[in-house]
Amino acid sequence: MADEISARICFYCNSFFPSSEGPTEYGICLEDNDFEPYTEELLENSNYASCQELINSKQFPGKQKACDKFKLAEIIKIDDDTSMGDLPEQSIGTDNEAKKQKSVEITEESIRKLADERSFSRGLDYYINGAVSAAIIRGENELSGLCAGSRHEPYRVKVMLGGNGIHNASCTCPRGGLCKHIVALLLQYVHEPDNFTITPLMKSQLEKFSKDELIKLILDMVEMKPSLEAIVDRRFLLSSSSNVEKAKIRQHVEQALTFEELYAVEDSLRDILQLGETMEKKGDISGAGVVYQEVLGALCSCYEDELLPLDDDGDIAILAGDCVDGLCSCLEATEEESVDEGKWGVLRNSWLDTLLEAELTDIILGGMDFAAGAFDTILNNATDQEWALLETRLHNEISQSSNWRRERLVEMLGAWHSLKGQEDEMARLIQEMGTEEQQMFLLLREGNPQEAAVMAKQHFTAQCGTILRLVSAMAESGAAEAGAALLSELLADTKTSHPNYWKWLANYSQSAGDLKEALKWQYEVALHYHTEESYQTLREIGEKLQNWEQVRARLLKDLEEHKAWETLLQVALLEGEVDQALELLPLVPYHSWRNYREEVAGAATEKHPERALILYRELAEDAIRLKERSSYRKAAQYFRKAKTIYNRLGKSAEWEGYIYRIKGEYTRYRALQDELGKAGL
């Protein structure tokens, strides 16, 4: 199932496609060039605040089909056992015989072929800016080093060379695949092998020691760093893996949680989980369950206050999910045992209780997928007797909860009854304990859309999202007219109106074939949303009604009164009104997510080449001031376009003087000079 899901996720926007032609979930497309300045924040740090306005304007509406740029996501974990395939052997010449000889020859070009364009470009920037440190060659084929990134601590990078190229690689960053940090290390290996310290493989060094020498070495290391004792102790447990004491495992977990760096916490906890996995393979289900339960229980206790502020990429939350998977295996392995009493009954109840605690922790956190799959594991594995104990606890939690938390808890109770085919009991639970929103949707499911609308006006007029979910559910249940009437009523009052209601009504009216009503609502959308898409949709409706010219004239007048200069500029570009676009450009504020100057320059090249020339020069010089390799490449593209216009105007000498001045002014910018050279400038 995981393979089927991963095969339908887009590499660029992370949106899930239920089928190759089906709709996407909410998402953005990172293939869109407007996201170029923010990709690092989005991919590496999951920071959406840096470009929230852009996301709002670009996000998918929820029913968009897979676009022609759809590319399967590469969901892989690169480690020492994952081959990335060998690259064709390519030699690297050197004039310095004193340089360290490489056991495997790779080139910048071979790295470029293996990495995607974005990773290679940024890895090249990292290498040029000296981000790589502590570079080591171990043995003949193992490269390692540290690469500075966006976090306080540098990322740890490791590459294994094999055959005629790169065998596999890993990095502690969350990017996955051949990331920019790996690219930076490889480029340093290609261009500056002298900066690598050569050391033998640790394994080959240790093999020279006798047993007594190894024991002394370990004791000395533990004395110098007492925290290593826990690692030695866990290795002992791995070798014996029988009759494991819960208190002993808890001690190891507590010690792992004392590390200051999050990666050290994760590494240590995963070391403990390995103990559980080994026990499970040996058939010690009881011991394995103890390990998974202790790690998960400890994370439930401390995650919100201690780990959540540090877990930006969700690594610990994912580790909690791995504990859930382990407990799921233990429950499945004991489902045939007698669970009513005795050893297995006690163990299974304690495992299920810990899983419920994990689900409750996720609810407190707001539903961030901490310990993902915990409740599903309960539903799929609990017996009726076991569920009865959990149900009692859920009832107690509901009595102390409100709002979203209460809603989720009631959903959990309802899910069990739904699984057992007890729909009436599920409805009773919502009526007695559910939130007002749950009760409103229950009215709709029971065939009472008018009563649901009344409840919406009583409690949810300030919650646009809830209203839209309700009217969409009404449409799906055959009560679209009731939904349209509700939105029309809310729009009539400025206190309860919302622009998204216009969108819904416009889409609904158009799908119902009422073009006049669709035009009415779409006009409001175009007037207030200020997007090309809303304008184009209005145009399509107007052309079908054969009154587009009148509608267009009225809209442009209204947009001008609203000083919607950006929308007017978009319209001018869309309709090829170059003079109007040049006039409007100075009135539009600069947006890093949409380069209007470039668009206007391109549109003006034929009719107003002198104006286009000024814009391309401004764009190129602004790009240089950003001092990034990608911006230098962009500047070179602008210069090439400017050169074409100079030549067309018969001003080749003026161009030569201009580019000579630019090269002289930025003579110390090696990366810029390189990009200009590549562009033939």
Side-chain angles (χ1 to χ4, degrees), residues 454-480:
V454 170
M455 199 168 182
K457 288 182 285 187
Q458 289 175 340
H459 302 289
F460 302 107
T461 55
Q463 299 178 28
C464 167
T466 302
I467 294 292
L468 288 174
R469 284 197 301 275
L470 176 64
V471 296
S472 295
M474 286 178 169
E476 291 173 4
S477 65

Side-chain angles (χ1 to χ4, degrees), residues 116 298 351 382 584:
D116 62 79
W351 295 341
L584 288 166

